[in-house]
Amino acid sequence: MLSSLELIKRYRAGDTNAADQPKWLTYIVSAEERIVNFERIQSIQELAQANPVLDYVERTLHILDGLALSFWKKDLLEEVLIWSEVAKGGTSRDRFMWQEAGIHLYAHNLGSAQLYKFDIGNPRDKSTVIHTLIYTHGLIGQTIRGEVPLKEHAPLIRLMKDSLLSADELRGLLLPLNQCIIAGVSEELWQSVRAQVESLIEQIVSDSLEKEPAIKERLARLRGNTIQKGENFDAEYGKLLDEVPVDALTAFLDGTTLWFVEAALQEFSLEQLVKVFLIIQVSSQTDSIQHISFEPLMNTMYYDYKGSKKVNVYKKRMIEKYLGELAWNDLMKEPLELSQRFNPDGKWGNAHLKHLIDRKPQLPDTLFFTFHFSPAAEKLIEFCVEAEKSPLYEKAVLLLFDLFELRRDAYDRFHNEEEYLATMNQTADYKKMMLDYVVGKRVVDIGPGGGVMLDLIEQYLPDKHPIGIDISSNVIEALERKKQLEGHRWDVMKGDALDLKLYVEPGTIGTVIFSSILHELYSYIPFGGKKFNHATVAAALRSAFDVLAPGGRIVIRDGIMTEPAEQKRTIRFLQEGAMAWLQRYAKDFAGRTIQYEVVAADEVIMPVNDAMEFLYTYTWGEEAYVHEVQEQFGYFTPSEFTAFILDTLGNGAKIVESKHFLQEGYTDALADKVRIMDQDGNVVPLPDSTCLIVIEK
């Protein structure tokens, strides 16, 4: 076993004296700050109890220990690996002193090389090789990722020119070194990039580094993870070329090393990334800049949700608005003129958000970029995070939207959108019945959620062209990624269901589908300043009817109320705490007053439709409570719905199908929670929950 691994083993076993001997171990284990790339962790909370730097160094050493290398190579590479991460260590006092001494702690390869040199004095021969390998460690992987220009590998070529290493020796060191560095992150990652690593090493050892890649290739490398998640890079880059001369970034990117850029900005679009680069380029004198660090932005863009790392979607949405309001022609202006647009007095963007470019006197070659939120905005965002499992959540989000002047109906299930969309994709069997009523060539799915309806149309009706329209940015982004990854032919667009003619030409649509979405429009979208408004449903139906071709159809699958509405139901609770659940629900439900009469410790009498509204939420449980308490699933009885449709759409509309049924699953889900009885105490089945209505033009 390598001696360094023996030292780490002793330290982990409680022999703290082991850390008193070599400085590299002292630095790493004394780290009071957690300097880590957020791409590599699953939970931020883990950082409080772990030392990810020590863990990573130990993994790289174990990989080295298992390689079949000569003694001198293994000995030399061990020295490189134990020093390569030390700039991420040290106590707060150490780090302050290092910065005062000019140690670069933000480009950790450079800082680690400086600390190594500081420890051993002036390097010579073998020490020069080690120093250079520390200084350049990780840069091959970063070049593959688009973060580092080729010129940064020049020190390796200098080792050969100074006769410190032959080409074969340099090759024999670089390949295992990069294997340790990259496989230390992930063995799968190493296998996926090994060929690229070997190719770049050959360019280095043959002193034949090609010219820097074209701007498109550099940007594509920077978007590697995003492309893997489904970004259509070629299409997005093509749109950029229509808007701005992207080549203007060539000199800027060719001359700089980017730190934490993907971790900080991978959740943003390519257009937004390019705008950030242009802001930096024109807002600062970049001639002397070698390093651009996005670490401050990365550190503010994530938080923990249920033990997992989550992107801060609240901040993301506000930053997107900030960048969206910045016109391309503004970004192409001279720095002085542009700086007048970026000022703290609120003339540019929102007074609660601005970008921040920071320089540190002791690091003249480094620039730090982030977005700065006002104290009020930060507190409100914190409030949204804390309120995620509370009915206060919706109010908190609306306050945030008001603060940043976003539309109130731009509703996103911020904190659990992925889980929600996954749940939506499990409803294929329920939605499949709607396919029997689809007519025409072009089919619009309003509120496509996870895309299940679009997939069904594509699979079972191959002659149709499905189009999904949703107001939620989260939904559209997720569907665009799904389309790219899975090769679908359907289209999606961000749009307002109440004004479809802005997105599709009137008279051209065969079918408009409202699959469990009208009740959400009814519940969330204010019409005439009022939510829970039947006028919202009317506006949605008229909007859909206007874009239909003659013979076209509106297909509705949604909640239904029971009639006669005067019926009462007795609910006997079978689980402890259920009565408190009902009391809480009746207080929090936003749609209407929920009536109930307590007749026993575990029993209530309720109007049948109030009972069903409560049971829908009770079925979904605590995780969904924050959303379900804001939604009214049933808003018409069957006869009321029929009369409303005919009154809204007039004589040009004909109802060709109208039926209702109990959604499968409710009975089983509630079986061990409640007993439902009529007023005579007889156990009765649940009433119908869902309707299927087809309107023909």
Side-chain angles (χ1 to χ4, degrees), residues 107-259:
H108 75 270
N109 63 317
L110 173 56
S112 295
Q114 290 172 326
L115 286 171
Y116 172 77
K117 184 176 180 180
F118 184 77
D119 183 61
I120 67 168
N122 292 324
R124 294 173 180 270
D125 300 334
K126 176 184 174 183
S127 297
T128 298
V129 173
I130 294 171
H131 176 268
T132 302
L133 291 176
I134 295 171
Y135 172 64
T136 58
H137 90 275
L139 297 189
I140 286 178
Q142 288 177 274
T143 297
I144 292 170
R145 287 164 58 97
E147 298 166 336
V148 172
L150 290 170
K151 67 173 187 175
E152 291 300 310
H153 302 286
L156 294 171
I157 297 174
R158 195 173 305 119
L159 290 176
M160 295 186 296
K161 291 183 176 180
D162 291 344
S163 300
L164 294 176
L165 288 176
S166 68
D168 286 340
E169 288 171 333
L170 181 58
R171 181 188 295 108
L173 289 169
L174 288 179
L175 186 60
L177 175 60
N178 280 274
Q179 180 177 353
C180 294
I181 292 168
I182 299 172
V185 176
S186 161
E187 176 63 30
E188 293 75 18
L189 177 62
W190 165 245
Q191 294 301 331
S192 69
V193 300
R194 178 170 183 165
Q196 297 176 71
V197 171
E198 292 174 342
S199 175
L200 187 48
I201 289 174
E202 287 306 311
Q203 292 181 49
I204 293 170
V205 299
S206 62
D207 191 8
S208 60
L209 289 175
E210 301 172 356
K211 66 178 182 178
E212 300 295 343
I215 185 66
K216 181 179 180 180
E217 182 181 346
R218 182 84 184 268
L219 290 173
R221 292 181 183 184
L222 287 170
R223 302 296 287 177
N225 284 342
T226 312
I227 292 170
Q228 287 183 1
K229 293 178 182 178
E231 178 179 80
N232 188 338
F233 176 82
D234 287 335
E236 294 303 312
Y237 186 80
K239 293 177 186 177
L240 278 181
L241 291 181
D242 293 336
E243 298 281 349
V244 64
V246 184
D247 287 345
L249 285 172
T250 299
F252 165 64
L253 289 178
D254 284 354
T256 54
T257 294
L258 306 173
W259 294 92

Side-chain angles (χ1 to χ4, degrees), residues 273-512:
L273 174 72
V274 170
K275 282 189 173 182
V276 168
F277 286 158
L278 287 171
I279 288 172
I280 296 171
Q281 183 182 34
V282 301
S283 300
S284 61
Q285 298 298 323
T286 57
D287 290 345
S288 61
I289 298 298
Q290 183 179 353
H291 304 280
I292 298 175
S293 175
F294 294 89
E295 184 179 1
L297 178 59
M298 176 191 71
N299 288 337
T300 193
M301 284 304 298
Y302 297 92
Y303 70 102
D304 268 309
Y305 174 69
K306 292 172 60 176
S308 298
K309 178 191 68 177
K310 289 287 185 180
V311 66
N312 193 317
V313 183
Y314 314 101
K315 290 188 174 182
K316 178 175 181 279
R317 289 285 173 250
M318 306 314 141
I319 293 170
E320 286 173 339
K321 180 175 185 288
Y322 181 95
L323 294 172
E325 292 176 344
L326 179 57
W328 290 111
N329 59 354
D330 285 327
L331 283 170
M332 303 310 296
K333 294 177 180 178
E334 292 297 319
L336 180 60
E337 185 179 355
L338 184 67
S339 67
Q340 295 170 354
R341 295 271 285 156
F342 291 127
N343 52 49
D345 64 6
K347 291 182 180 178
W348 162 250
N350 190 290
H352 295 284
L353 175 62
K354 62 180 180 180
H355 75 269
L356 186 64
I357 294 177
D358 189 27
R359 304 281 291 274
K360 300 182 185 299
Q362 66 271 33
L363 300 174
D365 65 346
T366 304
L367 179 151
F368 300 85
F369 181 89
T370 191
F371 287 96
H372 174 74
F373 290 82
S374 71
E378 287 283 3
K379 290 295 183 183
L380 189 49
I381 290 169
E382 289 177 18
F383 178 44
C384 288
V385 172
E386 291 299 320
E388 283 179 347
K389 292 186 178 180
S390 159
L392 290 173
Y393 177 69
E394 303 304 328
K395 296 178 181 178
V397 170
L398 291 180
L399 284 171
L400 188 65
F401 274 37
D402 282 344
L403 188 68
F404 285 89
E405 300 173 352
L406 287 168
R407 287 180 53 176
R408 277 178 174 263
D409 59 356
Y411 175 73
D412 286 320
R413 293 171 179 263
F414 282 107
H415 70 286
N416 67 342
E417 182 73 16
E418 293 177 1
E419 295 177 16
Y420 171 69
L421 294 180
T423 300
M424 294 292 288
N425 278 344
Q426 296 170 5
T427 62
D429 290 342
Y430 307 145
K431 297 188 176 188
K432 191 174 178 182
M433 67 176 67
M434 304 175 73
L435 299 180
D436 294 337
Y437 304 96
V438 171
V439 298
K441 177 71 174 177
R442 304 177 75 203
V443 182
V444 172
D445 181 22
I446 302 297
V452 61
M453 196 73 218
L454 298 173
D455 287 348
L456 288 171
I457 297 169
E458 183 176 278
Q459 180 180 357
Y460 292 102
L461 304 174
D463 61 323
K464 311 299 183 189
H465 176 204
I467 304 166
I469 297 180
D470 203 294
I471 195 66
S472 167
S473 296
N474 284 355
V475 168
I476 297 301
E477 288 173 3
L479 287 173
E480 290 284 11
R481 292 193 298 268
K482 173 182 168 70
K483 177 181 178 179
Q484 179 69 10
L485 285 174
E486 299 176 6
H488 292 290
R489 57 179 177 81
W490 41 252
D491 292 316
V492 292
M493 63 180 73
K494 188 169 188 266
D496 188 345
L498 305 190
D499 208 355
L500 290 176
K501 64 180 181 295
L502 296 179
Y503 315 101
V504 294
E505 185 179 349
T508 66
I509 301 302
T511 305
V512 177

Side-chain angles (χ1 to χ4, degrees), residues 1 4-15 18 58:
M1 180 182 288
S4 54
L5 285 173
E6 291 282 4
L7 285 168
I8 293 173
K9 182 179 179 181
R10 286 166 50 196
Y11 168 77
R12 291 193 184 281
D15 182 1
E58 186 175 20

Side-chain angles (χ1 to χ4, degrees), residues 643-660:
F644 180 82
I645 290 169
L646 296 177
D647 182 60
T648 299
L649 300 180
N651 294 331
K654 179 173 66 174
I655 297 177
V656 297
E657 179 69 274
S658 179
K659 59 184 179 181
H660 42 90

